[in-house]
Amino acid sequence: MSDKVLVVFRDEDRLAPYQRALETAEINAEYRAPGQNLNLDSFGGLLLTGGTDVDPALYGQEREPETDAPDSERDRCELRLLEQATALDSPVFAICRGLQELNVALGGSLHQRLQDLPDRMDHSTPLHPNGRIRTGKAHAAASGRSIEAPASRV
């Protein structure tokens, strides 16, 4: 099995933070846009990045007006890769949208607008005035504070 990790992304202009993090962790990564020819045959793992909303039709809902337009190519590609990863027992690291896709692939559903529910917020909170720090639930978790941040429906 290869030590190379397949990183699926849509927007190249949003790739730099993932690249920096993987380089810092000394992870050998190959970056690819979604496509029908992607498979995990020559990779030792899969990283699914953030991005637009997962198509609600994939978890039995109609798209709400505020939900992003579906990226059907990406959804099909990532769901196929997740199926392969499961069959191959390959490690998967899923971030934001990727975690939502993983949840859907395993039969779960989502709240399309989780941040609109009582006591919930979007993880893309505004930057701190210094322009370099974000504050929010994910950052509270990273600092060791206890939080609750469900995104799936039971």
Side-chain angles (χ1 to χ4, degrees), residues 6-10 32-40 46 48 58 71-85 97 101 105:
L6 173 61
V7 180
V8 180
F9 70 96
R10 173 57 79 196
R32 300 271 187 90
Q36 292 302 317
N37 297 326
L38 284 183
N39 64 63
L40 293 178
L46 174 65
L48 300 176
L58 295 171
D71 184 344
S72 299
E73 178 187 39
R74 185 173 181 187
D75 286 334
R76 281 191 307 271
C77 177
E78 290 181 345
L79 289 170
R80 189 179 69 255
L81 290 169
L82 284 166
E83 186 176 304
Q84 287 179 9
R97 179 195 195 281
E101 193 88 71

Side-chain angles (χ1 to χ4, degrees), residues 8 13 35 45 54 61-62 74 83 124 134 145 153-154:
V8 180
D13 62 325
V54 175
Q61 294 183 17
E62 291 190 28
R74 185 173 181 187
E83 186 176 304
S124 300
R134 290 190 187 272
R145 289 185 278 151
R153 287 188 182 212
V154 181

